[in-house]
Amino acid sequence: MKNNPNREKILRALAQEEVVSGAEISSSLGVTRTAVWKQITTLRADGYVIPGDPRSGYRLMAEGERAYEVSLLRAFAGEGRRVVFFPETGSTNTDLKELAAAGAPTGTLCVAEKQTEGRGRRGRSFASPAGGVYFSLLLRPKLPLSEVSALTGAVAVACARALEAETGLEVGIKWVNDLYLNRKKFVGILCEATADLESGTPEYVAVGVGIDLSGELPEELDGIATTVEREGGRIPDRATLIAKTVRAIEAAAKEPLSPEILSESRRRSVLLGKRVTVTRGDESFRATAKEINDRGELVIERENGDRETLFSGEVSVHGEAGS
Ligand code: BTN
């Protein structure tokens, strides 16, 4: 992935204020004024709309082909957060993991307008056409490894909260990582973690979120997946939606098994009390979803009355297509 720290920093500095002078940028970043001026010239050539000059100052406008990226920088202005935007990429989770391995700090965010190799759980692909929202957030949580698997559930609750507030639609959670609107999936979450076995803590977690906001989905997802637009919800500004969702995720990740998160994941569950099909490896069986326990795990009851606790896995409502 190409990485030009000066370019990123200057963009971030320009996104801070309405008007910022070349001198301010140069002193805050410790680069020469000439370097700032050159970088601004390059940025303009690359499609960023930056009216102004060194003396009166510059403005970075959320306009033209760079509007989405600039809106994002503005939405996170002042946080010092690293936001890496791709008009198109393979997978933001893959990009973020590269940055994480190179030492990127917690809070680093990769966002793409579309993905060509979007990845889902269990090695599946995740259709990521333009019109959706695709991002990956880096977390370096100070949690015991035993609580890391509960993160996915907490992320689902955080995304559901943000999406409900922004779209006005009622959002359900299909344990553990899918969000639903009217019995169809519209959000997928993929959390990928690496562990430091010596300290017993995660090194990092890449939290990938894909939201079907608007636009066309592939035909094979007919009847399985939907979009906010199709369900008649408000279509929020993507940058605002990402900022709200990211902040909600970061708050929830501090205590993924808090009573509030657990009760909300139970309240939003589309599985509890339903007859479900559980798929585990080659095995597939029917059961009833009984409860989400205090560890965020799903307790199911087999047809013979035996109870089992699922840590992860594929569960679909019996008679409905899984996705
Ligand atoms: C699933 O439904 O199985 C999980 C889908 C996760 C998709 C998101 S989109 C952003 C990030 N990049 C990826 O390649 N995957 C995740």
Side-chain angles (χ1 to χ4, degrees), residues 96-151:
L96 188 77
K97 288 199 300 181
E98 248 180 57
L99 294 174
T106 192
T108 301
L109 182 66
C110 288
V111 179
E113 185 128 36
K114 57 181 172 177
Q115 300 182 117
T116 51
E117 288 161 57
R119 296 191 290 110
R121 287 168 83 224
R122 308 175 161 257
R124 295 200 188 118
S125 61
F126 184 81
S128 314
V133 167
Y134 314 103
F135 71 85
S136 300
L137 172 68
L138 180 62
L139 296 178
R140 295 193 184 272
K142 297 194 179 11
L143 292 173
L145 278 180
S146 55
E147 279 189 31
V148 170
S149 63
L151 254 184

Side-chain angles (χ1 to χ4, degrees), residues 19-20 37 40 44 49-59:
V19 176
V20 56
W37 178 78
I40 287 179
R44 284 174 172 156
V49 180
I50 313 174
D53 56 55
R55 231 168 344 126
S56 59
Y58 298 101
R59 302 184 69 183

Side-chain angles (χ1 to χ4, degrees), residues 121-190:
R121 287 168 83 224
R122 308 175 161 257
R124 295 200 188 118
S125 61
F126 184 81
S128 314
V133 167
Y134 314 103
F135 71 85
S136 300
L137 172 68
L138 180 62
L139 296 178
R140 295 193 184 272
K142 297 194 179 11
L143 292 173
L145 278 180
S146 55
E147 279 189 31
V148 170
S149 63
L151 254 184
T152 308
V155 170
V157 169
C159 291
R161 280 179 186 163
L163 276 154
E164 197 157 283
E166 292 301 300
T167 65
L169 297 174
E170 199 178 310
V171 177
I173 299 177
K174 196 194 82 170
W175 185 89
V176 57
N177 71 321
D178 292 336
L179 299 193
Y180 271 47
L181 291 175
N182 297 326
R183 297 150 71 118
K184 290 189 197 119
K185 174 170 167 173
F186 82 115
V187 174
I189 296 163
L190 173 68

